[in-house]
PDB file of all heavy atoms in Angstrom:
ATOM      1  N   ILE H  17      -9.605  14.252  11.491  1.00 95.00           N
ATOM      2  CA  ILE H  17      -8.996  14.227  12.824  1.00 95.00           C
ATOM      3  C   ILE H  17     -10.008  13.754  13.863  1.00 95.00           C
ATOM      4  O   ILE H  17      -9.696  12.937  14.736  1.00 95.00           O
ATOM      5  CB  ILE H  17      -8.439  15.623  13.186  1.00 95.00           C
ATOM      6  CG1 ILE H  17      -7.216  15.939  12.322  1.00 95.00           C
ATOM      7  CG2 ILE H  17      -8.078  15.702  14.668  1.00 95.00           C
ATOM      8  CD1 ILE H  17      -6.736  17.364  12.434  1.00 95.00           C
ATOM      9  N   TRP H  23     -11.820   6.662  16.664  1.00 96.00           N
ATOM     10  CA  TRP H  23     -11.223   5.328  16.523  1.00 96.00           C
ATOM     11  C   TRP H  23     -10.317   4.997  17.701  1.00 96.00           C
ATOM     12  O   TRP H  23     -10.423   3.934  18.309  1.00 96.00           O
ATOM     13  CB  TRP H  23     -10.413   5.236  15.231  1.00 96.00           C
ATOM     14  CG  TRP H  23     -11.202   5.252  13.972  1.00 96.00           C
ATOM     15  CD1 TRP H  23     -12.533   4.985  13.813  1.00 96.00           C
ATOM     16  CD2 TRP H  23     -10.693   5.553  12.674  1.00 96.00           C
ATOM     17  NE1 TRP H  23     -12.887   5.098  12.496  1.00 96.00           N
ATOM     18  CE2 TRP H  23     -11.789   5.444  11.774  1.00 96.00           C
ATOM     19  CE3 TRP H  23      -9.446   5.893  12.175  1.00 96.00           C
ATOM     20  CZ2 TRP H  23     -11.640   5.669  10.414  1.00 96.00           C
ATOM     21  CZ3 TRP H  23      -9.288   6.117  10.810  1.00 96.00           C
ATOM     22  CH2 TRP H  23     -10.385   6.007   9.943  1.00 96.00           C
ATOM     23  N   SER H  28      -9.028   2.254  22.856  1.00 90.00           N
ATOM     24  CA  SER H  28      -8.509   2.464  24.201  1.00 90.00           C
ATOM     25  C   SER H  28      -9.540   2.181  25.285  1.00 90.00           C
ATOM     26  O   SER H  28      -9.224   1.595  26.328  1.00 90.00           O
ATOM     27  CB  SER H  28      -7.991   3.899  24.334  1.00 90.00           C
ATOM     28  OG  SER H  28      -7.445   4.130  25.609  1.00 90.00           O
ATOM     29  N   PRO H  79      -5.938  -3.205  20.475  1.00 94.00           N
ATOM     30  CA  PRO H  79      -5.292  -3.185  21.796  1.00 94.00           C
ATOM     31  C   PRO H  79      -4.031  -4.053  21.786  1.00 94.00           C
ATOM     32  O   PRO H  79      -3.814  -4.841  20.855  1.00 94.00           O
ATOM     33  CB  PRO H  79      -6.372  -3.765  22.718  1.00 94.00           C
ATOM     34  CG  PRO H  79      -7.269  -4.541  21.829  1.00 94.00           C
ATOM     35  CD  PRO H  79      -7.255  -3.848  20.501  1.00 94.00           C
ATOM     36  N   LEU H  84      -2.270 -10.300  15.072  1.00 95.00           N
ATOM     37  CA  LEU H  84      -2.718  -9.996  13.715  1.00 95.00           C
ATOM     38  C   LEU H  84      -3.221 -11.236  12.979  1.00 95.00           C
ATOM     39  O   LEU H  84      -2.557 -12.265  12.923  1.00 95.00           O
ATOM     40  CB  LEU H  84      -1.583  -9.358  12.912  1.00 95.00           C
ATOM     41  CG  LEU H  84      -1.896  -9.056  11.441  1.00 95.00           C
ATOM     42  CD1 LEU H  84      -3.008  -8.020  11.339  1.00 95.00           C
ATOM     43  CD2 LEU H  84      -0.641  -8.566  10.724  1.00 95.00           C
ATOM     44  N   LYS H 101      -6.735  -4.552 -27.709  1.00 82.00           N
ATOM     45  CA  LYS H 101      -6.608  -4.324 -29.148  1.00 82.00           C
ATOM     46  C   LYS H 101      -7.577  -3.259 -29.628  1.00 82.00           C
ATOM     47  O   LYS H 101      -7.333  -2.559 -30.617  1.00 82.00           O
ATOM     48  CB  LYS H 101      -6.842  -5.639 -29.905  1.00 82.00           C
ATOM     49  CG  LYS H 101      -6.669  -5.550 -31.412  1.00 82.00           C
ATOM     50  CD  LYS H 101      -6.854  -6.908 -32.062  1.00 82.00           C
ATOM     51  CE  LYS H 101      -6.681  -6.826 -33.578  1.00 82.00           C
ATOM     52  NZ  LYS H 101      -6.850  -8.150 -34.227  1.00 82.00           N
ATOM     53  N   HIS H 131      -2.748  -1.458 -16.624  1.00 93.00           N
ATOM     54  CA  HIS H 131      -1.718  -2.009 -17.503  1.00 93.00           C
ATOM     55  C   HIS H 131      -2.251  -2.098 -18.933  1.00 93.00           C
ATOM     56  O   HIS H 131      -3.353  -1.624 -19.212  1.00 93.00           O
ATOM     57  CB  HIS H 131      -1.285  -3.376 -16.973  1.00 93.00           C
ATOM     58  CG  HIS H 131      -0.773  -3.335 -15.561  1.00 93.00           C
ATOM     59  ND1 HIS H 131       0.558  -3.190 -15.254  1.00 93.00           N
ATOM     60  CD2 HIS H 131      -1.437  -3.372 -14.372  1.00 93.00           C
ATOM     61  CE1 HIS H 131       0.713  -3.168 -13.937  1.00 93.00           C
ATOM     62  NE2 HIS H 131      -0.485  -3.261 -13.388  1.00 93.00           N
ATOM     63  N   SER H 140     -12.533  -3.511  -0.654  1.00 94.00           N
ATOM     64  CA  SER H 140     -12.945  -4.185   0.565  1.00 94.00           C
ATOM     65  C   SER H 140     -13.421  -5.588   0.202  1.00 94.00           C
ATOM     66  O   SER H 140     -14.175  -5.778  -0.751  1.00 94.00           O
ATOM     67  CB  SER H 140     -14.080  -3.401   1.235  1.00 94.00           C
ATOM     68  OG  SER H 140     -14.642  -4.138   2.289  1.00 94.00           O
ATOM     69  N   LYS H 142     -15.503  -7.542   1.497  1.00 93.00           N
ATOM     70  CA  LYS H 142     -16.959  -7.728   1.564  1.00 93.00           C
ATOM     71  C   LYS H 142     -17.661  -7.198   0.320  1.00 93.00           C
ATOM     72  O   LYS H 142     -18.823  -7.522   0.079  1.00 93.00           O
ATOM     73  CB  LYS H 142     -17.524  -7.038   2.810  1.00 93.00           C
ATOM     74  CG  LYS H 142     -17.122  -7.691   4.120  1.00 93.00           C
ATOM     75  CD  LYS H 142     -17.943  -7.160   5.275  1.00 93.00           C
ATOM     76  CE  LYS H 142     -17.536  -5.749   5.662  1.00 93.00           C
ATOM     77  NZ  LYS H 142     -16.259  -5.722   6.375  1.00 93.00           N
ATOM     78  N   THR H 148     -18.169  -7.573  -8.970  1.00 94.00           N
ATOM     79  CA  THR H 148     -18.206  -8.593 -10.027  1.00 94.00           C
ATOM     80  C   THR H 148     -19.602  -8.746 -10.632  1.00 94.00           C
ATOM     81  O   THR H 148     -19.742  -9.083 -11.813  1.00 94.00           O
ATOM     82  CB  THR H 148     -17.724  -9.951  -9.487  1.00 94.00           C
ATOM     83  OG1 THR H 148     -18.517 -10.322  -8.345  1.00 94.00           O
ATOM     84  CG2 THR H 148     -16.258  -9.879  -9.079  1.00 94.00           C
ATOM     85  N   SER H 165      -5.237 -13.022  -6.046  1.00 95.00           N
ATOM     86  CA  SER H 165      -4.552 -12.886  -4.766  1.00 95.00           C
ATOM     87  C   SER H 165      -3.899 -11.514  -4.649  1.00 95.00           C
ATOM     88  O   SER H 165      -3.337 -11.005  -5.636  1.00 95.00           O
ATOM     89  CB  SER H 165      -3.468 -13.959  -4.628  1.00 95.00           C
ATOM     90  OG  SER H 165      -2.624 -13.679  -3.518  1.00 95.00           O
ATOM     91  N   ASP H 189      -1.923  28.357  -7.811  1.00 96.00           N
ATOM     92  CA  ASP H 189      -1.984  28.649  -9.247  1.00 96.00           C
ATOM     93  C   ASP H 189      -0.622  29.046  -9.789  1.00 96.00           C
ATOM     94  O   ASP H 189      -0.206  28.609 -10.870  1.00 96.00           O
ATOM     95  CB  ASP H 189      -3.045  29.713  -9.553  1.00 96.00           C
ATOM     96  CG  ASP H 189      -2.832  31.015  -8.808  1.00 96.00           C
ATOM     97  OD1 ASP H 189      -2.003  31.066  -7.876  1.00 96.00           O
ATOM     98  OD2 ASP H 189      -3.514  32.014  -9.156  1.00 96.00           O
ATOM     99  N   VAL H 212      -7.399  19.579  -9.889  1.00 96.00           N
ATOM    100  CA  VAL H 212      -6.249  19.742  -8.999  1.00 96.00           C
ATOM    101  C   VAL H 212      -6.602  19.283  -7.586  1.00 96.00           C
ATOM    102  O   VAL H 212      -7.657  19.636  -7.054  1.00 96.00           O
ATOM    103  CB  VAL H 212      -5.773  21.209  -8.956  1.00 96.00           C
ATOM    104  CG1 VAL H 212      -4.633  21.384  -7.946  1.00 96.00           C
ATOM    105  CG2 VAL H 212      -5.314  21.653 -10.344  1.00 96.00           C
ATOM    106  N   SER H 233      -1.575  17.067  -7.103  1.00 95.00           N
ATOM    107  CA  SER H 233      -1.915  16.198  -8.228  1.00 95.00           C
ATOM    108  C   SER H 233      -2.689  17.019  -9.250  1.00 95.00           C
ATOM    109  O   SER H 233      -3.719  17.611  -8.918  1.00 95.00           O
ATOM    110  CB  SER H 233      -2.772  15.014  -7.759  1.00 95.00           C
ATOM    111  OG  SER H 233      -2.111  14.266  -6.769  1.00 95.00           O
ATOM    112  N   ARG H 235      -4.485  16.624 -12.865  1.00 90.00           N
ATOM    113  CA  ARG H 235      -4.908  15.652 -13.865  1.00 90.00           C
ATOM    114  C   ARG H 235      -4.357  16.008 -15.235  1.00 90.00           C
ATOM    115  O   ARG H 235      -4.520  17.131 -15.717  1.00 90.00           O
ATOM    116  CB  ARG H 235      -6.434  15.576 -13.909  1.00 90.00           C
ATOM    117  CG  ARG H 235      -6.968  14.353 -14.679  1.00 90.00           C
ATOM    118  CD  ARG H 235      -8.472  14.399 -14.807  1.00 90.00           C
ATOM    119  NE  ARG H 235      -9.127  14.656 -13.529  1.00 90.00           N
ATOM    120  CZ  ARG H 235     -10.409  14.963 -13.419  1.00 90.00           C
ATOM    121  NH1 ARG H 235     -11.158  15.089 -14.515  1.00 90.00           N
ATOM    122  NH2 ARG H 235     -10.944  15.177 -12.225  1.00 90.00           N
ATOM    123  N   LYS H 241       5.590  16.914  -5.282  1.00 96.00           N
ATOM    124  CA  LYS H 241       5.656  17.041  -3.828  1.00 96.00           C
ATOM    125  C   LYS H 241       6.523  18.241  -3.488  1.00 96.00           C
ATOM    126  O   LYS H 241       7.640  18.392  -3.988  1.00 96.00           O
ATOM    127  CB  LYS H 241       6.234  15.778  -3.188  1.00 96.00           C
ATOM    128  CG  LYS H 241       6.131  15.787  -1.669  1.00 96.00           C
ATOM    129  CD  LYS H 241       6.393  14.411  -1.086  1.00 96.00           C
ATOM    130  CE  LYS H 241       6.107  14.407   0.406  1.00 96.00           C
ATOM    131  NZ  LYS H 241       6.277  13.068   1.006  1.00 96.00           N
ATOM    132  N   GLU H 257      12.524  23.269  -3.205  1.00 96.00           N
ATOM    133  CA  GLU H 257      12.822  21.933  -3.726  1.00 96.00           C
ATOM    134  C   GLU H 257      11.500  21.239  -4.039  1.00 96.00           C
ATOM    135  O   GLU H 257      10.562  21.278  -3.225  1.00 96.00           O
ATOM    136  CB  GLU H 257      13.579  21.099  -2.695  1.00 96.00           C
ATOM    137  CG  GLU H 257      15.015  21.520  -2.476  1.00 96.00           C
ATOM    138  CD  GLU H 257      15.720  20.596  -1.485  1.00 96.00           C
ATOM    139  OE1 GLU H 257      15.028  19.937  -0.688  1.00 96.00           O
ATOM    140  OE2 GLU H 257      16.954  20.545  -1.528  1.00 96.00           O
TER     141      GLU H 257
END
Side-chain angles (χ1 to χ4, degrees):
I17 290 170
W23 291 341
S28 182
L84 177 64
K101 183 177 180 180
H131 303 267
S140 170
K142 291 192 287 286
T148 56
S165 168
D189 57 348
V212 176
S233 302
R235 194 186 310 168
K241 188 166 187 177
E257 288 183 338

